[in-house]
Amino acid sequence: MVLDKETIGVTGGSGLLGRHVIYFFLKKNFKIIALSRKNPKIKHKNLDWIQIDLSNKLSYQKLDDIFKKLKCLIHIAAFVPDGKNFKKKKYINKINLHSSLNLAKWSKINNKHFIYISGAVIYSNENKKNSEKSKIKNKSANSYVNSKILSEKAILKLKDKNFKLTIFRPTSIYGYGMKPNKIVSLLINKLKKNQNVKIFNYLNTRVNFIHAQDIASGIFKSYSCKSYGIFNLGQKNCIHFYDIASVVKKLINSKSKILLKSDKKFSKILNPMDVKINLARKKLSWRPEISLKRGLKMQIGGKCI
């Protein structure tokens, strides 16, 4: 039973997942201390926002001052480079690796439940429906993915019987607040403008998508039932880009045509990030509740809840 006004900390509060987590916990009557570089623009009496750039290491004294009353620290913040916003490997590691380890160490010292958001993208066998025991990659050419691999390894080295540690490996997350250059956003924007959508090599676009609210639900269940460990979070099945486009087209009554094309330039098969979710179902009593139709409707309507 969650007591009224328990306090949790959330890093990355202005991002896609961070905003969904904040809304979810506010609805459960929590107090939240959110850290992020940008203002999450959520006005609520139980939310305190502190502007912090995690590329600058926070001292334990500073963390004590900010988080001394919290029960759990949910670490979501991460720098994700893209074509328009490239940063060097050193900067990415400052935020994604060094800050994660620093927050994990502080949480362990202060006996706080530390929840770290990793990703299913770290599994080495991309053609397999991976369980939590599946092998992860030793390293990746992708700086973001590599920082997640290194972070998990470093944090797990801290693990002992007294460290309240939960690591989530979600599949591809979508929802309101998604960056405009991501595939779901791109499809929505094209269909809104009644522009034709071309999907190349349809069979290569199979991905396991999970709505951000379902991730927030998993985080809440881990906290509320004090369940620690590593958990995959995803849908039961993968879907194709065509499925997303078809649902969006119907939702907004778009006049666009969805055209399936073949082109050798797009012959690479995407990492489906497919996972088994049996452990989360068993230990957390968690299951994905947001259907593709409902999730896309929420994203189109600009809603987290």
Side-chain angles (χ1 to χ4, degrees):
M1 180 76 178
V2 175
L3 299 175
D4 285 357
K5 303 296 189 295
E6 287 188 11
T7 303
I8 62 160
V10 177
T11 70
S14 62
L16 163 61
L17 180 56
R19 288 176 64 85
H20 282 78
V21 169
I22 288 172
Y23 274 115
F24 195 95
F25 275 81
L26 286 175
K27 194 174 180 181
K28 299 288 185 181
N29 205 33
F30 279 76
K31 282 189 175 181
I32 298 172
I33 301 170
L35 303 187
S36 57
R37 286 172 294 175
K38 297 179 181 178
N39 192 328
K41 296 179 180 179
I42 301 171
K43 293 183 179 180
H44 196 285
K45 64 181 181 180
N46 289 336
L47 173 64
D48 291 328
W49 171 64
I50 300 172
Q51 185 176 31
I52 283 181
D53 185 343
L54 289 178
S55 65
N56 302 315
K57 185 177 179 180
L58 299 178
S59 68
Y60 287 174
Q61 182 59 57
K62 180 72 171 177
L63 290 171
D64 287 343
D65 293 340
I66 296 171
F67 289 140
K68 58 185 176 182
K69 293 183 180 180
L70 64 78
K71 300 283 187 178
C72 173
L73 177 55
I74 303 164
H75 182 41
I76 301 169
F79 182 83
V80 185
D82 54 40
K84 294 181 180 179
N85 199 6
F86 177 78
K87 292 284 185 179
K88 292 183 179 179
K89 180 179 176 181
K90 187 176 180 180
Y91 179 84
I92 295 169
N93 281 341
K94 271 187 178 181
I95 296 180
N96 297 5
L97 172 57
H98 302 313
S99 70
S100 300
L101 185 56
N102 187 47
L103 292 170
K105 286 179 177 178
W106 177 87
S107 297
K108 181 179 179 180
I109 291 169
N110 290 276
N111 196 32
K112 309 293 186 183
H113 185 180
F114 184 68
I115 299 179
Y116 174 68
I117 307 302
S118 182
V121 71
I122 71 172
Y123 286 115
S124 60
N125 191 339
E126 296 181 0
N127 299 314
K128 180 183 176 183
K129 198 173 183 72
N130 288 288
S131 73
E132 290 82 356
K133 293 182 179 180
S134 296
K135 186 179 179 181
I136 67 171
K137 297 171 182 174
N138 289 322
K139 61 181 179 178
S140 171
N142 182 300
S143 297
Y144 168 76
V145 176
N146 200 57
S147 70
K148 287 293 182 182
I149 295 168
L150 293 173
S151 294
E152 267 211 34
K153 289 180 177 179
I155 291 168
L156 285 169
K157 285 182 180 178
L158 302 175
K159 189 177 179 182
D160 59 30
K161 63 180 181 179
N162 297 316
F163 187 19
K164 301 171 183 176
L165 172 64
T166 304
I167 295 175
F168 283 111
R169 293 173 180 168
T171 56
S172 188
I173 306 172
Y174 75 102
Y176 173 62
M178 193 177 210
K179 290 184 178 180
N181 65 327
K182 299 298 182 181
I183 185 63
V184 177
S185 298
L186 291 170
L187 290 172
I188 289 172
N189 290 335
K190 271 189 168 290
L191 290 162
K192 276 185 175 180
K193 296 175 182 177
N194 292 314
Q195 297 175 347
N196 290 342
V197 172
K198 295 180 182 179
I199 297 176
F200 292 93
N201 304 338
Y202 161 75
L203 294 177
N204 294 351
T205 66
R206 176 177 165 272
V207 177
N208 191 316
F209 286 93
I210 183 75
H211 193 272
Q213 184 176 306
D214 277 330
I215 307 300
S217 170
I219 292 170
F220 172 74
K221 285 180 178 290
S222 170
Y223 171 77
S224 60
C225 68
K226 296 180 174 59
S227 187
Y228 315 122
I230 299 174
F231 300 97
N232 290 331
L233 297 179
Q235 283 286 353
K236 293 179 183 178
N237 300 303
C238 293
I239 56 174
H240 294 85
F241 292 172
Y242 176 80
D243 302 319
I244 297 170
S246 297
V247 172
V248 173
K249 182 179 177 180
K250 289 180 181 178
L251 283 172
I252 64 175
N253 198 25
S254 174
K255 296 178 182 178
S256 305
K257 292 181 179 179
I258 304 171
L259 308 172
L260 301 182
K261 301 285 185 178
S262 295
D263 193 319
K264 291 181 180 179
K265 288 189 297 184
F266 304 99
S267 59
K268 183 180 178 181
I269 299 174
L270 295 177
N271 179 357
M273 288 186 278
D274 202 9
V275 296
K276 295 178 181 178
I277 58 174
N278 309 54
L279 190 61
R281 289 172 66 98
K282 181 179 178 181
K283 290 191 69 176
L284 305 179
S285 298
W286 174 89
R287 65 181 64 195
E289 300 287 348
I290 309 296
S291 67
L292 179 64
K293 181 178 179 180
R294 181 182 168 194
L296 289 172
K297 188 175 181 180
M298 290 167 68
Q299 183 165 339
I300 292 166
K303 295 180 180 179
C304 290
I305 295 290

